[in-house]
Amino acid sequence: MHMKDDLENRTGVPAPFSSRRKFILAAAATGGAGILSAGPVPMSAHASSNEATQFVLPTATNDVTPFKVHAPQAAMDDLKKRLANARWPDKEPVTDWSQGVPLAKAQAFAEYWRTRYDWRLVERTLNGLPQFRTQIDGLGIYFIHVRSKPENALPIILTHGWPGSVIEFMQVIGPLVDPTAHGGKADEAFHVVIPSLPGFGFSDKPTEPGWRLPRIANAWATLMARLGYSRYVAQGGDFGAGVSSWMAKQQPSGLVAIHLNLPIVFPPPPPPPGGYTAAEQPALAQLGNHASDGSGYASIQATRPQTLGYGLADSPVGQAMWIYEKFQAWSDNKGDAAEAIAVDHMLDDITLYWLTDTAASSARLYYESFGKDFARMPLELPVAVSIFKGDFFTPPKVWGEETYSKLFYWNELPKGGHFAALEQPDLFVAELRKSFAQVR
């Protein structure tokens, strides 16, 4: 079902819940409203029983160690072989995306990946940036760290979510670090830090439970202190919003404000005596629609990430469609994800998940935190919010005002979706410049 149709046809008003997870569980129960290498040392690899290539990251230490990316050619050859030998399901009996990625779209996407996409281009982009790994709380964390020329630039840590990665921020690094070369002013410069979440990309995969959002927030504060930043801001969307919110909750030394492009706000309980306002109704309908028609992926990743991982780790088509469907569903498009995000950019992200074999380890963040830590959280630290109107959830300002006692910026953009920095990099940069100008 399309969100537009759902909004137009909905008659019931879902009850308020303190978290997206609780809302989804309640809706389901009621029928619902619903590769790196250290310096020049080549990355090592080993073959599994099916002769696939996997990367082994060198052990991280407390030192901040430079890294370069290079996928072994054997891994690239294996990927193309698997794509060529893919076994396809039957064609869907519907004419839209309501049952998932249509077969024709899937086959065209996979064929482009096999015959035209070039991973080496994104490798060169990454290797043109300062990349590092360091051990924090026993885990190796990968991050990009680009300093601006002005020493008084404002340090910012940007955190991605799922199914995102550091790839999301590639187009905004230059404008943030060097604003005068990209239509901005010198006093709008940022020092930029972009880490990969544990279990994602080139960060280590946790081998025991416990890497929840509060622990990641602590790790990010440790990272910023290790880099010498005594005053900084944080930004995030999706799970990145969760990490940034937990940082604000913990109020580590040096953090002065956060910016969210997916604020974790819900109707505060109990329902108001007069019911919800007209401004709140669309967001309530979005939550209902997500619970009834868009949350299956989250339920699986939050309950059985290991079982899911077997299929996605073995099939690049499976891994690609698991993410491609979200690019289509959550970006600001009229039916084709490529209207919002270039196919090569989508494949940069998907290929990163494939080459690092992080389908299961990234999904485990849902198992760890989705039902516990990704919830409405009143915050006392200054908070800025940008709502990109093409996102699948666009809450009203009143929910932000009721959740964030120091909400100092709220803006609603007419275009752009869930992957804001990837879809609308210029607008994303402008929002960070405008909002954080108030805390410099």
Side-chain angles (χ1 to χ4, degrees):
M1 179 181 294
H2 292 299
M3 178 174 289
K4 180 175 183 295
D5 295 334
D6 186 68
L7 294 179
E8 290 175 348
N9 296 329
R10 185 170 304 283
T11 57
V13 177
F17 292 89
S18 60
S19 75
R20 185 169 68 179
R21 175 65 172 163
K22 291 179 182 178
F23 189 97
I24 290 169
L25 288 175
T30 62
I35 328 178
L36 292 184
S37 57
V41 179
M43 179 179 293
S44 58
H46 66 272
S48 67
S49 59
N50 62 1
E51 298 183 353
T53 303
Q54 290 188 337
F55 298 122
V56 179
L57 296 171
T59 302
T61 68
N62 288 343
D63 294 331
V64 174
T65 307
F67 278 81
K68 295 291 183 181
V69 181
H70 181 72
Q73 187 57 43
M76 306 310 301
D77 294 341
D78 175 71
L79 169 59
K80 291 195 174 188
K81 179 181 177 181
R82 288 171 181 266
L83 290 170
N85 294 331
R87 188 174 75 162
W88 299 95
D90 295 337
K91 184 182 184 301
E92 66 286 348
V94 294
T95 58
D96 54 23
W97 288 66
S98 60
Q99 294 191 12
V101 183
L103 178 62
K105 290 281 189 181
Q107 290 177 327
F109 194 83
E111 183 65 7
Y112 183 95
W113 194 10
R114 186 181 73 85
T115 62
R116 297 176 60 186
Y117 173 74
D118 186 359
W119 165 257
R120 301 302 184 196
L121 291 178
V122 74
E123 278 190 357
R124 289 195 287 273
T125 299
L126 288 169
N127 290 336
L129 299 168
Q131 303 169 93
F132 306 90
R133 267 173 47 97
T134 190
Q135 187 180 97
I136 302 175
D137 195 7
L139 203 70
I141 298 297
Y142 163 89
F143 63 99
I144 295 165
H145 180 204
V146 187
R147 286 187 59 85
S148 180
K149 288 182 180 179
E151 284 301 315
N152 64 345
L154 180 62
I156 185 170
I157 183 165
L158 305 171
T159 307
H160 66 85
W162 183 93
S165 66
V166 298
I167 297 296
E168 285 184 66
F169 300 111
M170 293 297 98
Q171 299 174 85
V172 304
I173 294 174
L176 291 175
V177 171
D178 187 8
T180 57
H182 298 85
K185 302 174 183 177
D187 60 4
E188 295 174 325
F190 292 87
H191 300 306
V192 176
V193 179
I194 311 174
S196 281
L197 292 166
F200 289 70
F202 306 127
S203 287
D204 285 357
K205 302 172 184 177
T207 57
E208 58 186 21
W211 273 96
R212 293 168 50 183
L213 295 186
R215 188 172 180 181
I216 297 171
N218 275 317
W220 276 199
T222 298
L223 175 61
M224 295 303 278
R226 188 169 295 176
L227 296 177
Y229 293 130
S230 58
R231 188 177 189 275
Y232 63 93
V233 294
Q235 195 284 329
D238 196 84
F239 266 123
V243 173
S244 300
S245 295
W246 272 101
M247 293 180 76
K249 177 77 169 178
Q250 295 164 352
Q251 296 192 26
S253 175
L255 180 64
V256 297
I258 66 170
H259 175 277
L260 308 174
N261 60 280
L262 182 69
I264 309 171
V265 293
F266 303 94
Y276 295 106
T277 66
E280 295 173 287
Q281 296 296 338
L284 290 166
Q286 288 173 337
L287 285 172
N289 183 64
H290 187 72
S292 63
D293 189 53
S295 63
Y297 79 98
S299 296
I300 293 171
Q301 296 197 151
T303 56
R304 297 295 185 270
Q306 186 68 21
T307 302
L308 173 68
Y310 295 113
L312 302 192
D314 189 56
S315 167
V317 168
Q319 175 67 93
M321 298 311 128
W322 193 245
I323 294 177
Y324 179 37
E325 194 271 336
K326 296 306 169 216
F327 279 138
Q328 192 276 338
W330 296 350
S331 65
D332 186 13
N333 69 79
K334 293 182 172 67
D336 184 354
E339 296 168 0
I341 306 169
V343 173
D344 283 287
H345 288 159
M346 287 189 273
L347 283 170
D348 290 341
D349 183 70
I350 290 167
T351 307
L352 177 60
Y353 275 82
W354 172 257
L355 292 174
T356 55
D357 190 15
T358 46
S361 57
S362 62
R364 286 192 193 103
L365 185 55
Y366 280 75
Y367 187 91
E368 291 281 355
S369 275
F370 191 60
K372 307 180 188 78
D373 310 318
F374 198 81
R376 179 178 182 269
M377 185 187 307
L379 298 175
E380 301 301 322
L381 202 76
V383 176
V385 171
S386 298
I387 300 293
F388 289 81
K389 296 299 283 184
D391 206 341
F392 67 81
F393 179 49
T394 56
K397 185 178 181 181
V398 63
W399 294 357
E401 293 170 333
E402 292 167 337
T403 307
Y404 308 133
S405 65
K406 295 180 181 177
L407 181 67
F408 69 93
Y409 182 90
W410 182 285
N411 191 28
E412 298 181 5
L413 289 304
K415 57 184 178 179
H418 192 70
F419 307 95
L422 194 56
E423 296 178 55
Q424 296 291 337
D426 292 342
L427 289 180
F428 182 83
V429 168
E431 286 299 288
L432 297 192
R433 289 174 179 171
K434 286 188 291 185
S435 60
F436 286 131
Q438 302 183 44
V439 299
R440 285 184 181 269

